[in-house]
Amino acid sequence: MKTRRYFELVKLKGLMREKKISYRKLSKETKISVDALNNKINGYSLLNAEEIYKIVDVLEISPDNIITYFFPQMLRNVSWITIKQGGESKCQRMH
């Protein structure tokens, strides 16, 4: 039995469903085997930077959303709010 060692990329799976892109289709487009893709998305192994780049390209994920889809653990520990001041966006940590 496999042990999940990393975070499951739940939001990425949701985006794939939304865009009607199967593991097989994403595998073909990114040249990552279906088994490897399944293991990486489900938290059994890690995606490397090149693989993330390929998936971002295929799924048309904006740079602002890369953390949301690929690094969910970063969002669990910190809450951020965006404050607009003078036309400039600033992020502030909430405790």
Side-chain angles (χ1 to χ4, degrees):
M1 184 172 176
K2 290 188 212 179
T3 302
R4 185 172 281 134
R5 297 175 52 202
Y6 307 101
F7 287 92
E8 181 179 9
L9 303 178
V10 176
K11 289 192 180 201
L12 183 63
K13 290 198 291 190
L15 181 64
M16 290 171 62
R17 277 191 299 277
E18 214 176 276
K19 293 186 177 241
K20 296 180 172 60
I21 295 182
S22 66
Y23 280 84
R24 186 173 305 282
K25 183 173 182 177
L26 188 58
S27 168
K28 185 177 179 182
E29 295 287 327
T30 60
K31 308 231 182 323
I32 303 168
S33 77
V34 175
D35 287 340
L37 197 56
N38 181 54
N39 285 335
K40 291 167 189 272
I41 290 174
N42 287 298
Y44 298 109
S45 60
L46 288 174
L47 288 159
N48 66 38
E50 183 179 347
E51 293 165 334
I52 290 172
Y53 177 80
K54 289 176 181 181
I55 294 169
V56 164
D57 188 48
V58 171
L59 296 178
E60 299 175 335
I61 297 171
S62 73
D64 293 341
N65 289 321
I66 291 173
I67 288 176
T68 301
Y69 291 110
F70 295 97
F71 305 100
Q73 69 279 14
M74 293 176 79
L75 298 175
R76 287 180 190 214
N77 299 326
V78 179
S79 295
W80 296 90
I81 61 168
T82 301
I83 301 171
K84 295 264 188 189
Q85 292 180 339
E88 185 179 319
S89 290
K90 294 184 180 182
C91 288
Q92 213 174 39
R93 189 179 204 156
M94 300 301 292
H95 299 284

